[in-house]
Amino acid sequence: MYGFPYHHDPMLPFAVLRARKAAGKTVYLTATPRPDMAGRVKRGDLAHVLIPQRFHGRPLAVPRIRPVGRWRKKIRQKEKLTPLIDFLFHLMDNGRYGYLFVPQVRDIELVQHYVEEELLPFMRAAWPKLAEKVSVPFTVAEVHAAHPGRGGVVSRFRQHEIRLLITTTILERGVTIPFSDVAVLGSDDAVFDAAALIQIAGRVGRKAADPVGHVWFLPEMRTKAQQQAIRQIKQWNRLARQLSGSLHRDGSLQGRGRPHG
């Protein structure tokens, strides 16, 4: 089982093929099957089991789109991005922790400085009672693939020593902490395809202690990838409700078929 995006490196499938015995089987576990794999499933060439619901039974968080316009230009001009302020306000007011995804490594420093030097001082001045409510400093940190202290930063985030972690798609999978929410600044960028956005949205609501999370897409404009991600998540939630509704009281399924296995 690989946490690294399997489809990004052709050496990973090759290594699996070489390691598998002649009579062995390969089992893929993914929330975001690639088009070729989905096509094989539809044609009946690849057996599959669809699990549309997490173990705690709560629905997946459905992202909401809050356009922010030309956000890099606005940040450089020190304009206030209201949707991003709303996200930070939500974290503070509810004692939550946040992932803030950005498209490129070069965006991290720009956004971190903007949050720390512009937005947080503005919010503390505008809502002094909110500032008093934050019992610990609102620590902002960054992490990306080339960050020299990446492991330490992620560990501090897991331990709730960091309130907002600004990152790239390096954390779209594999790192999960409870009581956290997600915002994707520039979610219309080409680096965020539908699969990546689904994986990012999947960072929240994974724990039984905190099964409900919130996801914000903060794009310059709406894109097909964002709409596909939202549509797919809603579809899984509908299917989960249908399957739950088809259970007998004794836990057995009514006779309306089941996913292929």
Side-chain angles (χ1 to χ4, degrees), residues 75 79-81 84-85 87-88 91-92 100 102 107-124 138-141 163-166 185:
I75 287 176
E79 294 184 34
K80 302 297 186 292
L81 298 180
L84 183 53
I85 291 175
F87 176 64
L88 297 176
L91 299 181
M92 290 182 178
L100 178 56
V102 295
D107 295 319
I108 292 179
E109 183 178 357
L110 174 70
V111 174
Q112 182 173 1
H113 183 271
Y114 174 69
V115 169
E116 292 183 319
E117 302 300 325
E118 297 294 331
L119 296 191
L120 292 182
F122 166 77
M123 294 174 68
R124 293 183 181 113
F138 195 90
T139 307
V140 181
R163 293 297 298 275
L164 180 70
L165 185 59
I166 303 174
L185 184 59

Side-chain angles (χ1 to χ4, degrees), residues 42-60:
K42 288 181 179 179
R43 294 191 300 270
D45 297 335
L46 183 64
H48 76 287
V49 174
L50 175 62
I51 305 174
Q53 192 174 49
R54 287 175 171 159
F55 71 97
H56 51 59
R58 300 295 293 272
L60 302 169

Side-chain angles (χ1 to χ4, degrees), residues 23-256:
K25 301 291 184 181
T26 301
V27 179
Y28 301 96
L29 294 91
T30 178
T32 52
R34 291 288 135 179
D36 60 330
M37 183 180 291
R40 292 170 62 194
V41 169
K42 288 181 179 179
R43 294 191 300 270
D45 297 335
L46 183 64
H48 76 287
V49 174
L50 175 62
I51 305 174
Q53 192 174 49
R54 287 175 171 159
F55 71 97
H56 51 59
R58 300 295 293 272
L60 302 169
V62 178
R64 43 183 172 164
I65 299 178
R66 297 282 306 277
V68 292
R70 299 179 63 183
W71 56 274
R72 290 186 181 93
K73 179 180 178 180
K74 290 182 177 181
I75 287 176
R76 292 190 180 97
Q77 294 178 345
K78 299 183 179 181
E79 294 184 34
K80 302 297 186 292
L81 298 180
T82 301
L84 183 53
I85 291 175
D86 290 345
F87 176 64
L88 297 176
F89 189 101
H90 165 80
L91 299 181
M92 290 182 178
D93 196 41
N94 295 281
R96 306 283 289 180
Y97 299 81
Y99 301 81
L100 178 56
F101 286 86
V102 295
Q104 306 294 333
V105 173
R106 64 176 179 267
D107 295 319
I108 292 179
E109 183 178 357
L110 174 70
V111 174
Q112 182 173 1
H113 183 271
Y114 174 69
V115 169
E116 292 183 319
E117 302 300 325
E118 297 294 331
L119 296 191
L120 292 182
F122 166 77
M123 294 174 68
R124 293 183 181 113
W127 299 289
K129 290 185 178 180
L130 178 65
E132 294 173 3
K133 187 174 182 178
V134 181
S135 58
V136 296
F138 195 90
T139 307
V140 181
E142 65 172 73
V143 71
H144 52 84
H147 193 288
R150 185 178 65 185
V153 173
V154 172
S155 177
R156 289 173 56 212
F157 189 49
R158 289 183 186 276
Q159 296 169 20
H160 288 165
E161 296 176 5
I162 295 171
R163 293 297 298 275
L164 180 70
L165 185 59
I166 303 174
T167 184
T168 58
T169 54
I170 186 70
L171 292 189
E172 76 178 48
R173 56 187 87 202
V175 176
T176 302
I177 68 168
F179 311 108
S180 63
D181 297 303
V182 164
V184 187
L185 184 59
S187 53
D188 54 329
D189 191 278
V191 73
F192 297 122
D193 61 11
L197 291 171
I198 290 171
Q199 289 286 354
I200 288 171
R203 294 306 91 213
V204 308
R206 299 175 71 93
K207 305 289 187 179
D210 181 43
V212 180
H214 302 271
V215 181
W216 279 261
F217 288 167
L218 309 179
E220 181 175 336
M221 63 185 71
R222 297 173 185 268
T223 60
K224 184 178 180 180
Q226 294 170 92
Q227 294 168 342
Q228 285 178 333
I230 293 172
R231 185 163 56 246
Q232 181 65 78
I233 291 170
K234 287 182 176 180
Q235 181 179 337
W236 285 331
N237 285 342
R238 283 195 299 270
L239 180 57
R241 289 195 299 269
Q242 292 169 2
L243 291 176
S244 296
S246 67
L247 287 172
H248 284 300
R249 290 182 179 179
D250 62 2
S252 62
L253 280 169
Q254 295 180 5
R256 293 202 313 166

